[in-house]
Amino acid sequence: MEVTGGSDGAAAVGPCARIPAEHMEFIRQVLDRVGDKWSLLLIAVVEAGPLRYTDLQRQVPGISQRMLTLTLRQLREDGLITRTAYAEVPPRVEYALTPLGRGLHEIVTSLIGWAADHHDEIREHRARAAAPTARP
């Protein structure tokens, strides 16, 4: 399928054709945010919420405290999760999906499931691509 740009920078055909050119940069930013590995995993995990920060850290192996804090802040700014702070000693903060975030949850879990289902196949392709080529 040929994809060409219109004179205004919009795609003439394909899935991007229905998106106004003036919206494309913002849509790319949103896709970049929700397509980030930590965002995907947190959206999948928070669905079981509300969860505390330490629970999230335990359920998303490998995420640093800095990345967890940053990603939670960004997801909150985009309206995908809520942060509720309770005036207790010690302070308690919980995170939960918003209705907007719940709408994304099924897509996220499907994508994570696809990656898990095809893990071995993708690993084999990467190994073949990284292997030195035989020369006569």
Side-chain angles (χ1 to χ4, degrees), residues 6-112:
S7 60
D8 63 354
V13 296
C16 296
R18 66 183 187 93
I19 301 170
E22 65 270 17
H23 294 181
M24 282 305 295
E25 183 177 344
F26 185 77
I27 289 170
R28 283 192 301 269
Q29 291 172 7
V30 170
L31 292 173
D32 187 47
R33 170 77 46 86
V34 299
D36 169 81
K37 66 182 175 183
W38 299 124
S39 296
L40 289 169
L41 294 171
L42 285 170
I43 290 167
V45 168
V46 174
E47 195 271 336
L51 293 172
R52 295 177 75 165
Y53 185 93
T54 53
D55 296 327
L56 293 170
Q57 210 168 19
R58 270 188 237 114
Q59 291 188 36
V60 181
I63 193 167
S64 69
Q65 186 172 352
R66 179 186 175 284
M67 283 310 300
L68 178 56
T69 300
L70 178 66
T71 306
L72 288 170
R73 184 180 304 125
Q74 291 171 338
L75 292 173
R76 196 168 140 239
E77 288 171 1
D78 284 348
L80 299 171
I81 64 167
T82 59
R83 178 186 187 272
T84 306
Y86 297 92
E88 300 174 349
V89 177
R92 178 172 54 113
V93 177
E94 293 180 338
Y95 297 90
L97 287 179
T98 64
L100 186 61
R102 281 193 295 277
L104 185 57
H105 179 262
E106 186 176 329
I107 296 164
V108 165
T109 54
S110 293
L111 184 57
I112 293 169

